[in-house]
């Protein structure tokens, strides 16, 4: 009887321990958000702890300024409400958009060369060979509760120009691309409370 009781107690303890380490998915907050890259050093001097991704000239980068615009000649438009200094996203059904004030919005897509890109203002045109679907977010409560962004391929950041490894510009790519010296990265998202830009250039 003692043997059976001991086996039962061990079985229950083993199940409880297993349940404790299984990742548990929690709810993903709704509303707009920013995105940042997380990359450990992994034997290099290149690492990032949430450095924000910015919209810049139709592509997405880290270590670059946001390119945005608000026209001053539209009656009733208060450009003070659109400082355009942050890059804010909103999610659709497997799709991704920039959170902007301009009617028609701006959609995010993966260009044929793998670069994460967005449509120009006043046009919803998507270039041939581009992919607009496959974006999602999820939260794992077992690992501190970060909300991660996933796309139609792995996220990579690729350096451009000269400078210190953590200070030079890095462009964001997904999946197959032809750039060299790129780094795989995780992208986490952080809730935002407003629209930042009227439109991104």
């Amino acid at each position: 009887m003692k043997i059976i009781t001991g086996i039962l107690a061990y079985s229950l303890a083993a199940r409880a321990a297993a349940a404790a380490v299984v990742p548990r998915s929690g709810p993903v907050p709704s509303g707009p958000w920013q995105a940042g890259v997380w990359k450990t050093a992994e034997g290099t001097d290149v690492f990032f702890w949430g450095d924000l991704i910015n919209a810049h000239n139709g592509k997405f980068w880290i270590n670059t300024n946001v390119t945005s615009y608000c026209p001053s000649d539209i009656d009733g438009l208060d450009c003070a409400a659109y400082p355009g200094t942050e890059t804010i996203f909103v999610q659709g059904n497997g799709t991704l958009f920039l959170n902007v004030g301009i009617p028609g919005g701006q959609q995010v897509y993966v260009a044929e060369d793998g670069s994460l890109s967005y449509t120009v203002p006043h046009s919803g045109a998507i270039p041939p060979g581009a992919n607009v679907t496959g974006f999602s977010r999820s939260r794992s409560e077992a690992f501190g509760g970060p909300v991660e962004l996933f796309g139609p391929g792995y996220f990579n950041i690729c350096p451009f120009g000269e400078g210190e490894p953590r200070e030079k510009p890095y462009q964001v790519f997904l999946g197959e691309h032809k750039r060299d010296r790129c780094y795989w990265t995780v992208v986490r998202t952080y809730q935002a409370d407003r629209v930042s830009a009227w439109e991104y250039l």
Side-chain angles (χ1 to χ4, degrees):
M1 185 66 169
K2 290 183 179 180
I3 295 175
I4 294 175
T5 303
I7 292 174
L8 179 59
Y10 173 81
S11 176
L12 291 174
R15 289 183 182 180
V21 299
V22 173
R24 301 182 300 278
S25 295
V28 173
S30 60
W33 40 269
Q34 293 180 277
V37 300
W38 284 78
K39 180 201 173 301
T40 58
E42 298 176 325
T44 75
D45 53 359
V46 179
F47 60 93
F48 297 102
W49 295 338
D51 294 57
L52 292 176
I53 296 173
N54 282 331
H56 182 87
N57 292 338
K59 305 293 182 180
F60 291 94
W61 300 75
I62 60 173
N63 293 338
T64 60
N65 294 325
V66 177
T67 53
S68 63
Y69 174 70
C70 182
S72 59
D73 57 350
I74 297 180
D75 290 340
L77 177 59
D78 181 10
C79 284
Y82 301 97
T85 56
E86 299 173 323
T87 300
I88 312 295
F89 299 87
V90 288
Q91 191 171 344
N93 184 17
T95 54
L96 198 58
F97 297 85
L98 289 166
N99 195 29
V100 292
I102 188 173
Q106 292 180 262
Q107 186 166 8
V108 178
Y109 62 90
V110 181
E112 190 173 20
D113 66 355
S115 60
L116 190 63
S117 312
Y118 54 95
T119 57
V120 300
H122 309 286
S123 173
I126 303 294
N131 186 1
V132 299
T133 62
F135 294 98
S136 64
R137 291 194 301 155
S138 68
R139 179 199 294 272
S140 175
E141 293 179 348
F143 298 106
V147 177
E148 293 187 10
L149 174 66
F150 298 90
Y154 293 108
F155 283 97
N156 286 265
I157 51 174
C158 304
F160 283 76
E162 303 297 327
E164 294 296 321
R166 295 194 64 248
E167 297 176 357
K168 67 175 64 176
Y170 288 79
Q171 188 177 351
V172 181
F173 288 80
L174 277 88
E176 297 293 330
H177 59 83
K178 297 182 179 180
R179 297 292 308 179
D180 297 324
R181 300 178 294 115
C182 299
Y183 302 95
W184 174 83
T185 185
V186 170
V187 175
R188 293 181 180 178
T189 66
Y190 315 93
Q191 293 305 111
D193 58 3
R194 62 185 178 88
V195 174
S196 176
W198 174 255
E199 63 185 55
Y200 293 99
L201 301 177

